[in-house]
Amino acid sequence: MGREGSWGDLSPGDLVIGSVYVHAPFCARRCFYCDFAVAVRRSGEPQSWAEAIGKELEILGAEGLAPLAPSLATVYVGGGTPSLLGPTAMDRLRRALGPGRLEHPELEWTSEANPESLTLDVAEQWRRAGLTRLSLGIQSFHEGTLRWMGRLHGAGGARSAVAAARHAGFENLSADLIFGLPSFLDRSWRTDLEATVALGVTHISLYGLTAEPDTPLGRSVRKGRTRIADEDRYREEYLEAHRFLTQEGFVHYEVSNFALPGFESRHNLAYWDGSPYLGLGNSSHSFLPPIRRWNLRAWDAYLERVHEGRLPVEDSEVVRGEAAQLEALWLGLRTSRGIPRDQLGSPAACALVAAWEAKGLASPVGPRIVLTPEGWLLLDRLAVELSEALPTRTTA
Amino acid sequence: MELDHIRNFCIVAHIDHGKSTLADRLLEHTATLDQRQMREQVLDSNELERERGITIKLHAVHMDYRAQDGDEYELNLIDTPGHVDFTYEVSRSLAACEGALLVVDATQGVQAQTLSNLFLALDADLEIIPVINKIDLPGAEPERRQFEVAELLGVEPETVLLASAKEGTGISEILEAIVERVPPPSGRWEAPLRALIFDSYYDKYLGAVPSIRVVDGVIRPGMTIAFGNVASEYEVTEVGYMRLKRFPQKELGPGEVGYVVAAIKEVADTRPGDTILDARHRAKELLPGYQEVRPMVFAGLYPTNADDYEDLRDALDRLKLNDASLQFEPETSTALGFGFRCGFLGLLHMEIIQERLDREFGVDLITTVPNVEYHVRLTGGEELAIESPSSLPDRGKIDSVSEPVVKVRILTPSEYIGNVQKLCHDRRGVFKSMNYVDTQRVELDFELPLAEIVLDFYDKLKSGTRGYAAMDYEFLEYRPDDLIKLDILVNGDPVDAFSVIIHRDKAFQYGRELTSKLKELIPRQQFEVALQAAIGPKIIARSNVKALRKNVTAKCYGGDITRKRKLLEKQKEGKRRMKQVGSVEIPQEAFLAVLSIGE
């Protein structure tokens, strides 16, 4: 793959896409544990970024590969650090996406932002451009922890960022928190949870620290210099978050996401329920069932390709049969909607789910099966088990 | 051909001392094969043989040679397997010869296998022609080796020939020495047919085709033949000799070497060492030396995927067509399901079979710990032969358990004597004798339980001598000892595939090592898994696999579902390769771990 003109078989047919992800690759520095597609810059390059996104969309359109709905239901700008792009970024993006695309009355338009770069100016101009939701990379309120992680904001950063967002008129605010940190940091998870709730956010995402192999953290763990939390502590903190946040009125609606009722992220739900989505920018993924494709990972390579008028796609795959089944189970089990019981097409699968229920890993909710928090802790294993127990679908 | 113009000989050598290259040169020099054919021959031969540098199957090649005396001679080169697992088969091919080229590497000198094969050749009363090969190599010490070999054989150093098969030097001298020194065969034309079978291969069109050496009488198409030790009769349709292909002849007379085609149903009918007779005119006496080939090492072979059971059976059936020494019968394991208990001549034989099943037939296998055959005397006086630990009767019913003991010959540079002594001692060996082969090398003789060398003895010997030692073994006798069955319980249930019969003194350490090794290899399950080693009802070691606490990819970023799914697919694939034992999933590596205990 990767040759020009070889994408004819990716034609989406009658599909219409209502969700778009846009990657903003710039970060002022790379965090200790991060393995995302990031370009380290002192400041973002909003103009070339928005131009590239617009150009990519143009190329996709010419190839018939971006059948966007006239007005989109959800847009999510992730990174990297989108707030590093500065106050003009969202207005530029609005123009890059084309007239009318962001006029949906129910539009959910989220951008990630880091406390240190979400200034009042940025928040206000973004709000004016039409952004409806901010996802703040808070991670922790503990000074030592933030420093160890390589974050650029301090303990007070979260509060001032939330204040700026509020002042600009954002009501729908999400906070990212990290758990499962090394014990030597002496960070109190409970304290951070309480502080987050006290900020009055409407949505909380949890991120369990994992030592990805190609990160400084991964190398440090491999060499035995750093010990990340053991499984028991990971488990305890996860369950503690569930207990505390649900008690505070949050709904644990997906493995790592909590929301006040009505504030669930609709964009993320599109990923989990198998809806089509378009990814723009380097390293982004698109799903036009049954085809998933993804862009070149490096910003420079992406930019070069787009400027040459060529698709920046790295590769694609057709998700069918066993792979599609495994994906659907895994994604379905992630959410509190679960999967329909009548999908358990074999006695082995029914027996397996009955065993989960007996062990408190799953519970029936109406005609559906939903994992409990204990079940979510074993999500990958359970999805694999269930897909083993099901007869392979023979879809063409 | 007149008897006095026939020479039957073989080449005996240690692995890699250049036997095949020398054989190739002889064929070239006698214009039996040209170079193009040589290459083809190399390409045609069994891939495994070439990789391991060993000859697994025997072949005999017929050469015509005009000697310096002006006469035309028929030279038959009979190939011999180079490894101790095939000692009996080596002895049968030696019995078809009158002479042997003893090939010794000019850099390495005499090795353990050189000695074992030499002793077999001397037992067979063969005329030995010693050849120092690879004299072209930088480290070669031809004169020292000449002297060393002369001393070993009790001959004059100048009778030891020098050659470089690679460079083609010394080949004429070897051919002349074969004509001059190897005695011609003796035999009577008019006597009733007696022909020695020394090998056999299976051809799907011709059936089993035995390689034979005619001792007395004549064999020709149209005759009905019988066997000394198998009750079958067949009509001969073709006789002849082999080069690259068959060269049919009118007949084979006394002293001649060739093949017989008689639509023989299976290789098992054509047993090495058996005598082919004229069914209408049977000779009174069979040729001496026939033995039933008995397997020495046993292991259970199980398909990783239960659906492959029939494929495994077919593959074993097909291997058996060509290898009568492979034995197998169906076996059921509670842990591993349906499989086969297989008997092998030795470790190398077992490895070869495993590799061929994998490589030629594509069957993915789990092999249980190899074990030997135990002889059990029950309190009632009854005797049992046990090939699998799980069939050992209750302890209360056992009077004694005997195990096979082998004579082991180890050749090592003298600085490693201590390491070798220690290794053999650790393996319950009894030291018998020590001789200096030359100033630097020592031959050590031990008696060792075969069970102690079937696993990793050879590897340990090699690492304890920096790769210099060589070993060889042969069966001695059955001896009683304090042997018990050690079971491994997984969550309370014995897993038969982990059971071993072991000496009581070693059981504790073995149990402890195995349970802790299994702890590393059995992945965490959704519950705690207890691993115990037990002798009867007594638990002697234990270890726990903690329950799985977390297995989740918490955050699913930016729609990159493909990468996460691939991780799940990997997990799923791993799960498929596991064996479900009760409620516990055990990966294949755990069954193999038993093989590497003590590392």
Side-chain angles (χ1 to χ4, degrees):
Chain A
M1 289 292 219
R3 273 175 301 117
E4 206 170 353
S6 65
W7 304 101
D9 55 335
L10 300 187
S11 165
D14 299 334
L15 220 64
V16 177
I17 301 174
S19 292
V20 171
Y21 171 84
V22 186
H23 192 67
F26 309 107
C27 277
R29 71 191 277 192
R30 183 182 278 280
C31 296
F32 191 39
Y33 55 92
C34 168
D35 75 335
F36 300 128
V38 155
V40 178
R41 302 280 193 282
R42 190 165 307 159
S43 60
E45 298 160 12
Q47 192 181 342
S48 70
W49 172 72
E51 268 173 24
I53 299 298
K55 190 87 203 274
E56 183 189 357
L57 195 56
E58 201 178 290
I59 301 164
L60 284 166
E63 300 265 347
L65 292 175
L68 291 183
S71 64
L72 299 170
T74 71
V75 175
Y76 191 100
V77 183
T81 311
S83 45
L84 199 63
L85 287 166
T88 62
M90 295 305 145
D91 190 52
R92 289 176 194 271
L93 178 63
R94 164 183 286 279
R95 277 181 275 134
L97 289 177
R101 281 274 154 65
L102 298 174
E103 304 297 336
H104 197 288
E106 302 283 308
L107 172 71
E108 176 194 286
W109 180 8
T110 310
S111 179
E112 294 176 354
N114 275 1
E116 74 278 3
S117 45
L118 187 74
T119 58
L120 185 60
D121 186 26
V122 168
E124 282 180 334
Q125 291 208 41
W126 283 13
R127 180 69 192 142
R128 222 170 295 138
L131 199 75
T132 64
R133 189 170 174 269
L134 278 169
S135 171
L136 300 170
I138 290 172
Q139 315 308 351
S140 175
F141 295 82
H142 182 253
E143 196 71 55
T145 296
L146 291 169
R147 229 175 301 126
W148 178 79
M149 289 169 67
R151 304 296 292 193
L152 292 167
H153 66 280
R159 282 179 199 94
S160 40
V162 167
R166 283 268 159 62
H167 195 266
F170 287 101
E171 284 170 18
N172 197 349
L173 295 177
S174 179
D176 275 6
L177 290 183
I178 197 155
F179 70 101
L181 293 170
S183 55
F184 73 86
L185 290 170
D186 233 3
R187 176 259 199 137
S188 162
W189 176 230
R190 176 67 179 228
T191 307
D192 275 356
L193 286 171
E194 284 169 358
T196 308
V197 170
L199 287 176
V201 297
T202 51
H203 187 281
I204 297 173
S205 293
L206 304 186
Y207 178 79
L209 181 69
T210 38
E212 299 293 342
D214 290 327
T215 61
L217 174 63
R219 285 186 284 277
S220 176
V221 167
R222 214 164 38 242
K223 286 180 183 156
R225 288 200 208 116
T226 305
R227 279 187 56 182
I228 56 171
D230 63 15
E231 292 187 4
D232 284 337
R233 216 151 63 74
Y234 188 103
R235 195 181 162 86
E236 276 162 30
E237 294 194 353
Y238 181 81
L239 294 175
E240 182 176 12
H242 170 80
R243 277 191 308 270
F244 177 73
L245 293 175
T246 49
Q247 184 190 307
E248 294 289 327
F250 284 81
V251 180
H252 195 171
Y253 74 103
E254 193 261 357
V255 174
S256 50
N257 285 291
F258 296 80
L260 293 176
F263 287 93
E264 295 86 356
S265 160
R266 282 187 284 126
H267 183 82
N268 283 339
L269 282 170
Y271 296 149
W272 303 320
D273 71 9
S275 302
Y277 51 87
L278 183 71
L280 297 171
N282 62 303
S283 85
S284 68
H285 285 59
S286 298
F287 187 44
L288 286 70
I291 294 155
R292 185 170 293 117
R293 62 163 194 263
W294 50 98
N295 281 350
L296 293 167
R297 192 173 156 84
W299 166 246
D300 293 340
Y302 164 85
L303 200 61
E304 192 185 321
R305 199 70 90 75
V306 169
H307 282 316
E308 288 167 5
R310 297 197 294 140
L311 282 175
V313 175
E314 182 178 306
D315 209 346
S316 72
E317 64 165 356
V318 180
V319 185
R320 302 184 199 279
E322 215 179 315
Q325 183 198 58
L326 182 58
E327 250 185 31
L329 289 173
W330 185 66
L331 293 171
L333 289 173
R334 290 188 77 85
T335 68
S336 59
R337 290 191 69 220
I339 53 170
R341 189 177 285 274
D342 59 19
Q343 243 180 39
L344 305 180
S346 75
C350 292
L352 182 67
V353 169
W356 292 354
E357 289 173 356
K359 282 188 259 184
L361 301 175
S363 56
V365 176
R368 304 178 74 90
I369 297 142
V370 179
L371 294 188
T372 61
E374 286 80 7
W376 274 332
L377 276 164
L378 300 173
L379 170 70
D380 292 6
R381 175 72 63 104
L382 301 187
V384 164
E385 278 182 8
L386 185 55
S387 98
E388 273 268 295
L390 285 173
T392 309
R393 271 195 315 209
T394 47
T395 45
Chain B
M1 181 64 79
E2 293 303 316
L3 285 169
D4 58 359
H5 282 72
I6 299 175
R7 299 291 183 273
N8 296 321
F9 71 102
C10 58
I11 306 177
V12 295
H14 185 76
I15 262 180
D16 285 341
H17 280 196
K19 183 167 99 168
S20 310
T21 319
L22 179 58
D24 289 349
R25 286 293 161 273
L26 296 177
L27 299 185
E28 242 174 59
H29 211 86
T30 54
T32 307
L33 301 178
D34 61 31
Q35 290 203 338
R36 184 183 56 83
Q37 290 173 313
M38 301 287 302
R39 271 197 304 279
E40 284 168 4
Q41 184 197 24
V42 170
L43 287 176
D44 279 349
S45 68
N46 187 319
E47 197 183 331
L48 260 178
E49 281 185 27
R50 264 186 295 131
E51 276 181 26
R52 298 176 153 245
I54 48 168
T55 309
I56 300 158
K57 288 304 291 180
L58 312 174
H59 310 280
V61 187
H62 175 108
M63 296 175 268
D64 296 316
Y65 174 62
R66 184 171 295 279
Q68 281 167 15
D69 63 11
D71 285 357
E72 188 86 28
Y73 288 84
E74 169 183 331
L75 308 185
N76 292 305
L77 168 57
I78 292 162
D79 204 357
T80 57
H83 194 273
V84 285
D85 283 1
F86 306 98
T87 299
Y88 170 71
E89 276 149 322
V90 174
S91 79
R92 291 310 83 200
S93 24
L94 296 180
C97 306
E98 279 79 33
L101 299 178
L102 175 74
V103 178
V104 174
D105 186 311
T107 60
Q108 297 181 14
V110 173
Q111 299 288 318
Q113 267 176 29
T114 323
L115 286 180
S116 324
N117 287 333
L118 171 63
F119 293 145
L120 286 172
L122 290 171
D123 282 349
D125 270 338
L126 303 192
E127 177 67 30
I128 309 290
I129 302 175
V131 178
I132 307 296
N133 190 26
K134 306 196 189 181
I135 55 167
D136 58 304
L137 288 187
E141 300 172 88
E143 277 156 33
R144 179 177 150 205
R145 299 305 174 198
Q146 249 179 332
F147 186 76
E148 179 184 303
V149 171
E151 189 152 276
L152 182 69
L153 295 173
V155 298
E156 295 302 318
E158 43 280 13
T159 63
V160 180
L161 304 178
L162 298 177
S164 162
K166 197 168 135 240
E167 308 268 302
T169 51
I171 305 300
S172 321
E173 289 78 0
I174 292 173
L175 285 165
E176 280 303 309
I178 291 168
V179 170
E180 281 168 25
R181 298 196 216 165
V182 175
S186 57
R188 294 165 298 151
W189 280 90
E190 61 289 351
L193 172 68
R194 292 199 299 169
L196 174 73
I197 300 176
F198 60 85
D199 184 27
S200 184
Y201 72 94
Y202 189 82
D203 180 293
K204 60 183 167 181
Y205 302 111
L206 307 174
V209 180
S211 295
I212 59 160
R213 152 75 190 268
V214 180
V215 175
D216 284 322
V218 180
I219 184 166
R220 58 171 70 93
M223 278 174 69
T224 304
I225 53 167
F227 302 93
N229 292 285
V230 180
S232 317
E233 292 188 1
Y234 295 99
E235 190 187 314
V236 176
T237 55
E238 183 183 314
V239 298
Y241 58 78
M242 298 294 285
R243 277 181 180 168
L244 264 192
K245 50 187 173 73
R246 311 194 311 278
F247 282 81
Q249 302 292 308
K250 247 173 46 217
E251 59 185 30
L252 295 175
E256 290 194 292
V257 169
Y259 66 88
V260 181
V261 176
I264 299 167
K265 277 196 298 263
E266 45 185 354
V267 171
D269 275 357
T270 56
R271 302 181 180 170
D274 202 357
T275 310
I276 292 184
L277 302 164
D278 182 344
R280 304 284 167 263
H281 194 46
R282 284 179 179 253
K284 291 217 171 54
E285 259 181 67
L286 298 181
L287 296 169
Y290 173 76
Q291 284 172 22
E292 289 259 351
V293 176
R294 292 181 53 80
M296 300 275 275
V297 175
F298 299 82
L301 299 188
Y302 290 84
T304 310
N305 183 342
D307 299 341
D308 294 340
Y309 177 75
E310 286 304 324
D311 290 348
L312 175 58
R313 179 200 294 277
D314 289 348
L316 285 168
D317 275 332
R318 277 160 65 193
L319 285 177
K320 171 105 182 148
L321 282 177
N322 241 325
D323 182 353
S325 54
L326 170 66
Q327 297 191 354
F328 61 93
E329 56 187 36
E331 179 183 65
T332 316
S333 153
T334 47
L336 302 174
F338 294 101
F340 297 91
R341 175 117 311 234
C342 300
F344 310 96
L345 295 177
L347 294 173
L348 180 77
H349 189 214
M350 178 173 94
E351 260 177 65
I352 289 169
I353 296 290
Q354 279 175 308
E355 274 192 50
R356 292 188 65 181
L357 286 170
D358 178 33
R359 202 181 294 207
E360 293 169 34
F361 300 97
V363 188
D364 211 359
L365 290 177
I366 291 178
T367 309
T368 63
V369 196
N371 58 267
V372 300
E373 181 178 293
Y374 294 93
H375 289 176
V376 179
R377 180 196 290 275
L378 299 181
T379 44
E382 196 189 337
E383 302 250 6
L384 290 177
I386 300 291
E387 291 166 13
S388 158
S390 54
S391 46
L392 192 72
D394 284 347
R395 288 195 304 161
K397 294 184 187 150
I398 295 175
D399 177 54
S400 69
V401 181
S402 302
E403 63 181 340
V405 172
V406 293
K407 235 163 84 175
V408 179
R409 175 184 296 123
I410 295 168
L411 219 59
T412 176
S414 46
E415 67 251 53
Y416 303 116
I417 291 176
N419 290 355
V420 174
Q421 292 270 23
K422 179 171 186 313
L423 174 65
C424 291
H425 180 77
D426 288 347
R427 301 300 176 103
R428 298 192 281 133
V430 178
F431 172 74
K432 298 310 275 188
S433 66
M434 177 163 94
N435 300 298
Y436 275 84
V437 179
D438 54 36
T439 49
Q440 282 132 46
R441 283 177 317 150
V442 177
E443 178 196 326
L444 294 160
D445 291 324
F446 290 89
E447 289 173 10
L448 276 155
L450 178 61
E452 294 284 348
I453 64 174
V454 295
L455 263 185
D456 56 351
F457 181 82
Y458 189 63
D459 294 340
K460 287 277 173 336
L461 178 67
K462 281 284 181 191
S463 59
T465 60
R466 293 176 170 252
Y468 283 116
M471 73 170 262
D472 236 329
Y473 65 86
E474 62 188 271
F475 175 73
L476 186 62
E477 62 181 3
Y478 267 86
R479 271 183 210 162
D481 211 331
D482 191 4
L483 300 165
I484 50 157
K485 186 170 122 190
L486 178 82
D487 292 313
I488 298 293
L489 315 182
V490 174
N491 270 0
D493 298 323
V495 177
D496 52 8
F498 290 137
S499 294
V500 290
I501 294 175
I502 192 169
H503 194 274
R504 187 182 298 278
D505 294 349
K506 296 195 149 191
F508 180 71
Q509 194 192 351
Y510 181 87
R512 209 174 37 188
E513 281 178 9
L514 184 51
T515 47
S516 67
K517 187 115 184 181
L518 288 175
K519 180 186 167 180
E520 287 165 30
L521 291 167
I522 295 179
R524 302 228 232 153
Q525 325 258 322
Q526 285 173 39
F527 42 83
E528 190 172 82
V529 177
L531 302 167
Q532 297 166 308
I535 301 170
K538 192 175 149 212
I539 304 296
I540 59 167
R542 66 171 299 148
S543 193
N544 285 325
V545 180
K546 284 212 291 182
L548 180 71
R549 308 285 286 158
K550 169 218 153 199
N551 182 210
V552 57
T553 314
K555 193 146 178 174
C556 177
Y557 246 84
D560 178 3
I561 293 160
T562 299
R563 189 165 68 111
K564 305 287 158 54
R565 191 196 68 237
K566 293 211 160 122
L567 295 174
L568 296 181
E569 282 168 349
K570 220 167 128 190
Q571 195 176 126
K572 190 167 166 181
E573 194 47 48
K575 193 171 146 59
R576 278 194 185 144
R577 284 200 309 268
M578 299 214 212
K579 282 280 180 185
Q580 183 95 23
V581 178
S583 56
V584 182
E585 285 177 332
I586 302 181
Q588 205 176 333
E589 301 86 71
F591 295 100
L592 301 177
V594 191
L595 306 178
S596 58
I597 280 295
E599 277 171 13

